[in-house]
Amino acid sequence: MSVFILQDIKKTFVVNKIENVVLNEINISFPDSGLVSIIGKSGSGKSTLLNILMGIEKPTKGKVLFKGKNIAKFNDKQFSKFHLNGVSTVFQHYNLFDDLTALNNVMLPLKMKGVNSKKAKQLAIDEFRKLGIEDLAYRKVKNLSGGEKQRIAILRSIVTSPDAILCDEPTGALDVKNSREIMGILKNLSKEKLVIMVSHNKELVDEFSDYIVQLKDGKVKGNTLPKECEKEDKNKRIKNTYKSDWIGPFLRLNLRKNLGKNLFSILSCSVGFASLFLCVGFLIGSESSHEEALTKNLSIGNATVSKVESVEITDSPLTYQKTIRPELSEVDAELSEFSTIRVEENISYFISSCATCSFNDTTFNNFQMIPLYDFSLKSYGSELLIKGNGGNNNFEEIIVNKEFEDLIGENVLGKTIVLKNSAATNYKTFDEDDPFIKDQLIIDKPMTIIGVIKEFPFLNSPKIYYSYKGGRDFLKSQFMENLSYYLGYSYTYYDYLLDCDPDDTVSSYSSYIFLTDLSESKEFFTKIKNLNNQSLEIISTVADIKETYITFISSFSKTLLVFSGIAFIGINFILGMISLSSFLQNRKNTAIMTCLGSRNSSIYNLHLYENYIVIAVSFLISLFLAYFAQNKLNPYLSSKFSLSNLITIPFETFYGLRYGLIIILSAVVVICSTLFTMVPMLIYRHGFITEELRDE
Ligand code: ADP
Ligand code: MG
């Protein structure tokens, strides 16, 4: 049986919708050995026929049988085996890898076969010796002459002992002397195996060929082949255990060639991955910052409680809601589970209802005055103090926040401001002659700033903190002149506050709630939302700020996540495109490798591994970058927003998994980059092999 049989082969090329029938009704049975020359005019389809035999061009019609098997049906593995054991090729322009040594070029098909380096080297050197060209073995191919290159190409094609060698114009680029020598080598080889050669050198063909096939007008015109030839296969075949490690030298070459491109990829990937880490760090860090944000505000110690009453309107089905001061006992009952919380009278009407302060003849009014029950700051807030100290519970000293200092515009510690407030009272006597007794409390009081605190700045405003006890004692010491005279006994503003109606303006329609300690703050803020007594309403500015902050942070985090996701896809896309471009640039190499017997997977791996290396290096750099950025950004953010560890990248454990984040992220990165690298290559893999190998 013939090694190669062409059955009824037809090949048409369609260019610009014009059909060009290059081969038609070709039926050839090649012998097992001997030198078969295919001749014909330029453009008669010789190379096309050879490409069809090689399996890199598909016939439009008909079959190529190799040892009885239709080569069109070969899968990737069988196709690779077909080239490693069955047919090898020699081209007019050699198609060697110029950057490798001659020896490495010859060893390549052996290494693809799975032969270890030592054995491959020995087998290759033997072949060099047979031709007497050992001295060429260690030279780079790009430095060899044409004749030398063609000898190396022939060595590469025979080193795996294939059944047939296909040569397309092997002497086309050589001088007469070299041509004859190459023909001699091929002739020698054809004693043991089939050598099919395309040539238009009539002289050489006539001298060296055993058989001649002439192509004309797409058909076989003359054919000196015997009808059927049979011969025993004498070659000792090297066992085929395909391996991919031959791509190593090519990977190194590509890395060197693409150094600049890869360095830029590494740079952008490192920054991209680092921002992903920081993003996750922010998501986790900001989660715990909610609670912290709360405690970073001294007014956490102060809330007000009111009672909301429904009042029916006489002669109407409508009711209206009225806010009044609750009974202290009622509030106490509601908050009985808390041991550190105190409920007190709201004294703000007399002290801060329309307070202004003056400093160096300038008057300021855009600030809030907030009482603290325990002014010492020991139980809470001490870490907020950036200047001064906590002071005593008297009405001569105040603490201000940074925003207040900024309002004043200079260093205020130890300075004195003058607090001014005026609050009028109207006591109803039910006496027709004298229906109202009016009094007015005027505060015009120098106060020393003994401490400055730095609070969480989100939605914060200038604030003065004063001692509640000090303020209350002050009210207890201020007598209402007119009312005391009318009543006939000493009556203080504090007495008035206690005695006034719950819907009197003086009551501020509310009572104070003080947290004297932070230990129960969390429970207290939960309690604010779920009061048993539905008519009570507790208002805390800090709780409101916290709610706003949570909403803000969660929408910010979501946006950040979306953007990082887009950035991540972008990075992968760029990586994929870079490997696609290097894949397309290396098409010729890919074509040669395919003809040598490489599997597609090895060629994809070559580009994939290059990406993996880029990614691995970037990933490592990004870990350091992220760690560095976290350590630099956190102190900055903490000085800006008073929140410590706003970025907390969980390097160590992630959802209970040790090094979980690093593992998960690297897995995602590998999967994504594999996808983004493979898909474009798979799309572009087809139909360039013959184009790249065409001898121009
Ligand atoms: P030669 O006998 O000179 O080796 P070829 O086999 O290279 O001839 O080409 C035979 C004919 O087929 C030529 O006319 C050539 O233009 C055409 N041809 C070869 N390859 C292609 C292709 N990929 N697409 C279109 N036409 C092609
Ligand atoms: Mg040709």
Side-chain angles (χ1 to χ4, degrees):
M1 193 177 66
S2 296
V3 176
F4 256 128
I5 299 175
L6 294 176
Q7 271 184 0
D8 204 17
I9 294 290
K10 182 178 179 182
K11 178 73 190 177
T12 37
F13 288 110
V14 184
V15 181
N16 296 333
K17 292 188 185 158
I18 299 166
E19 264 200 16
N20 176 12
V21 183
V22 176
L23 299 172
N24 204 1
E25 289 172 33
I26 304 280
N27 287 289
I28 306 174
S29 294
F30 290 95
D32 282 353
S33 63
L35 205 161
V36 183
S37 290
I38 300 173
I39 57 168
K41 275 196 253 161
S42 178
S44 58
K46 306 183 293 292
S47 297
T48 307
L49 187 70
L50 216 58
N51 289 343
I52 288 174
L53 284 170
M54 262 185 250
I56 58 175
E57 190 89 77
K58 295 221 159 20
T60 317
K61 219 186 97 191
K63 277 189 228 165
V64 180
L65 298 180
F66 179 75
K67 293 189 169 173
K69 290 194 183 100
N70 183 353
I71 67 165
K73 299 243 165 79
F74 286 168
N75 60 24
D76 190 30
K77 194 172 158 186
Q78 289 165 326
F79 191 72
S80 148
K81 209 171 148 191
F82 168 58
H83 281 275
L84 287 173
N85 296 340
V87 295
S88 59
T89 32
V90 175
F91 302 90
Q92 179 178 356
H93 291 283
Y94 333 117
N95 285 338
L96 294 165
F97 296 105
D98 279 351
D99 292 314
L100 299 184
T101 60
L103 180 64
N104 277 334
N105 267 284
V106 176
M107 279 165 65
L108 200 57
L110 290 171
K111 292 186 82 176
M112 282 182 185
K113 277 189 111 161
V115 178
N116 68 45
S117 294
K118 203 175 153 200
K119 182 92 193 292
K121 188 173 168 184
Q122 186 200 323
L123 288 169
I125 290 282
D126 282 349
E127 296 295 339
F128 275 87
R129 266 195 209 113
K130 280 187 208 161
L131 281 195
I133 51 169
E134 304 96 295
D135 53 320
L136 299 185
Y138 293 97
R139 286 176 54 191
K140 280 247 169 88
V141 164
K142 59 179 164 203
N143 302 326
L144 299 181
S145 73
E148 289 169 335
K149 280 185 188 172
Q150 200 58 301
R151 285 172 174 78
I152 305 301
I154 291 174
L155 289 191
R156 182 178 66 176
S157 74
I158 59 172
V159 74
T160 50
S161 312
D163 297 297
I165 301 173
L166 311 181
C167 316
D168 195 351
E169 311 262 8
T171 61
L174 304 179
D175 56 27
V176 178
K177 184 168 171 275
N178 270 307
S179 295
R180 295 193 64 81
E181 282 173 19
I182 292 293
M183 285 312 298
I185 296 168
L186 292 176
K187 179 78 189 172
N188 222 5
L189 289 170
S190 72
K191 287 178 190 150
E192 290 202 339
K193 58 184 80 214
L194 173 64
V195 176
I196 304 175
M197 180 187 78
V198 163
S199 179
H200 57 254
N201 189 326
K202 189 93 179 41
E203 222 175 282
L204 289 178
V205 167
D206 286 342
E207 182 180 344
F208 289 94
S209 304
D210 298 314
Y211 314 98
I212 296 176
V213 177
Q214 193 186 354
L215 291 181
K216 197 177 177 197
D217 301 329
K219 302 217 170 162
V220 177
K221 176 108 181 299
N223 185 351
T224 62
L225 283 167
K227 271 277 169 259
E228 197 80 39
C229 332
E230 251 173 279
K231 206 162 191 182
E232 209 184 321
D233 185 1
K234 289 189 204 148
N235 291 325
K236 274 192 276 137
R237 180 83 29 79
I238 298 157
K239 215 171 152 258
N240 207 356
T241 55
Y242 186 82
K243 275 201 185 128
S244 259
D245 52 3
W246 60 268
I247 62 173
F250 292 96
L251 186 58
R252 280 193 290 276
L253 275 178
N254 279 1
L255 283 173
R256 213 176 307 147
K257 206 162 60 190
N258 299 335
L259 187 67
K261 222 159 29 176
N262 284 336
L263 284 180
F264 273 110
S265 306
I266 286 173
L267 193 74
S268 55
C269 287
S270 310
V271 174
F273 294 150
S275 43
L276 263 182
F277 274 120
L278 288 173
C279 183
V280 174
F282 177 75
L283 289 180
I284 288 174
S286 62
E287 196 71 28
S288 57
S289 78
H290 300 161
E291 291 307 323
E292 216 196 333
L294 202 68
T295 55
K296 284 289 162 81
N297 221 314
L298 217 51
S299 53
I300 186 179
N302 179 283
T304 58
V305 54
S306 302
K307 186 173 168 122
V308 183
E309 265 189 356
S310 277
V311 184
E312 285 179 13
I313 301 171
T314 22
D315 303 331
S316 163
L318 300 175
T319 57
Y320 70 92
Q321 299 259 305
K322 183 173 153 193
T323 305
I324 58 166
R325 175 170 69 183
E327 292 290 328
L328 293 191
S329 55
E330 203 178 343
V331 183
D332 276 335
E334 180 64 44
L335 301 177
S336 58
E337 70 225 65
F338 298 100
S339 59
T340 61
I341 282 175
R342 296 189 64 100
V343 183
E344 300 282 340
E345 298 299 336
N346 187 336
I347 57 174
S348 65
Y349 180 76
F350 290 119
I351 294 197
S352 60
S353 55
C354 51
T356 63
C357 73
S358 66
F359 179 75
N360 287 350
D361 298 331
T362 314
T363 304
F364 300 93
N365 53 20
N366 295 323
F367 62 88
Q368 281 176 280
M369 289 200 65
I370 293 168
L372 294 179
Y373 193 78
D374 184 358
F375 208 51
S376 72
L377 288 183
K378 278 198 196 94
S379 49
Y380 61 87
S382 49
E383 82 274 15
L384 299 181
L385 203 62
I386 49 171
K387 284 187 251 182
N389 56 55
N392 303 307
N393 288 313
N394 62 39
F395 200 47
E396 272 77 46
E397 296 174 340
I398 51 171
I399 294 173
V400 300
N401 64 3
K402 194 82 182 54
E403 284 77 3
F404 184 84
E405 187 171 59
D406 294 341
L407 178 74
I408 301 290
E410 62 177 87
N411 187 358
V412 292
L413 184 67
K415 307 268 170 69
T416 302
I417 59 155
V418 180
L419 182 76
K420 295 180 183 177
N421 190 51
S422 117
T425 56
N426 246 340
Y427 182 79
K428 204 168 177 190
T429 61
F430 300 101
D431 183 344
E432 278 182 16
D433 300 337
D434 201 0
F436 292 107
I437 310 291
K438 297 184 183 221
D439 277 281
Q440 192 172 20
L441 175 68
I442 293 176
I443 298 178
D444 191 348
K445 203 171 165 39
M447 293 182 141
T448 310
I449 297 168
I450 52 153
V452 179
I453 53 165
K454 173 109 184 73
E455 294 177 313
F456 179 52
F458 184 74
L459 297 180
N460 204 8
S461 55
K463 282 185 188 127
I464 292 178
Y465 291 102
Y466 66 96
S467 158
Y468 174 75
K469 285 180 209 156
R472 185 182 59 188
D473 290 346
F474 170 74
L475 288 189
K476 279 181 183 170
S477 70
Q478 301 293 308
F479 293 101
M480 299 176 76
E481 269 178 42
N482 298 334
L483 190 58
S484 297
Y485 180 78
Y486 175 80
L487 293 173
Y489 54 86
S490 301
Y491 199 75
T492 67
Y493 283 96
Y494 189 69
D495 294 328
Y496 190 95
L497 179 65
L498 293 182
D499 294 343
C500 74
D501 288 334
D503 59 351
D504 193 318
T505 334
V506 173
S507 76
S508 301
Y509 315 114
S510 61
S511 302
Y512 275 146
I513 297 176
F514 290 111
L515 261 73
T516 61
D517 189 298
L518 282 189
S519 57
E520 287 177 317
S521 63
K522 207 167 171 180
E523 293 79 2
F524 175 63
F525 283 95
T526 317
K527 177 80 180 177
I528 290 180
K529 291 186 204 158
N530 315 298
L531 291 175
N532 299 326
N533 187 338
Q534 296 288 321
S535 65
L536 290 182
E537 189 181 61
I538 298 179
I539 293 169
S540 154
T541 8
V542 176
D544 292 344
I545 288 178
K546 187 197 171 194
E547 287 304 315
T548 320
Y549 178 68
I550 289 175
T551 321
F552 168 72
I553 282 289
S554 78
S555 36
F556 185 70
S557 311
K558 275 178 204 145
T559 319
L560 205 63
L561 206 62
V562 170
F563 278 119
S564 331
I566 294 171
F568 180 69
I569 292 174
I571 291 172
N572 279 298
F573 195 70
I574 291 170
L575 276 181
M577 285 303 115
I578 286 178
S579 35
L580 178 64
S581 92
S582 108
F583 175 71
L584 294 180
Q585 259 175 22
N586 284 314
R587 281 202 299 198
K588 178 144 195 170
N589 284 2
T590 303
I592 301 171
M593 286 167 188
T594 308
C595 289
L596 290 181
S598 153
R599 292 191 191 167
N600 285 335
S601 54
S602 305
I603 293 166
Y604 302 142
N605 282 345
L606 180 58
H607 297 278
L608 209 51
Y609 289 169
E610 191 178 346
N611 261 2
Y612 287 160
I613 290 170
V614 168
I615 285 172
V617 174
S618 315
F619 204 77
L620 276 179
I621 294 176
S622 76
L623 277 175
F624 286 105
L625 264 182
Y627 184 74
F628 179 78
Q630 171 177 294
N631 287 355
K632 285 278 162 205
L633 277 174
N634 274 341
Y636 172 76
L637 291 171
S638 143
S639 75
K640 272 262 175 238
F641 302 105
S642 308
L643 290 175
S644 54
N645 302 324
L646 193 55
I647 300 171
T648 311
I649 306 174
F651 286 118
E652 296 246 322
T653 40
F654 187 61
Y655 289 111
L657 183 66
R658 202 154 164 72
Y659 302 122
L661 181 65
I662 298 176
I663 294 169
I664 292 170
L665 214 57
S666 49
V668 172
V669 166
V670 167
I671 292 169
C672 286
S673 77
T674 308
L675 270 180
F676 278 79
T677 313
M678 283 304 290
V679 171
M681 280 200 295
L682 288 176
I683 292 172
Y684 282 92
R685 79 189 145 151
H686 289 300
F688 58 79
I689 292 181
T690 51
E691 236 166 86
E692 290 296 331
L693 294 179
R694 187 171 303 147
D695 290 326
E696 51 295 307

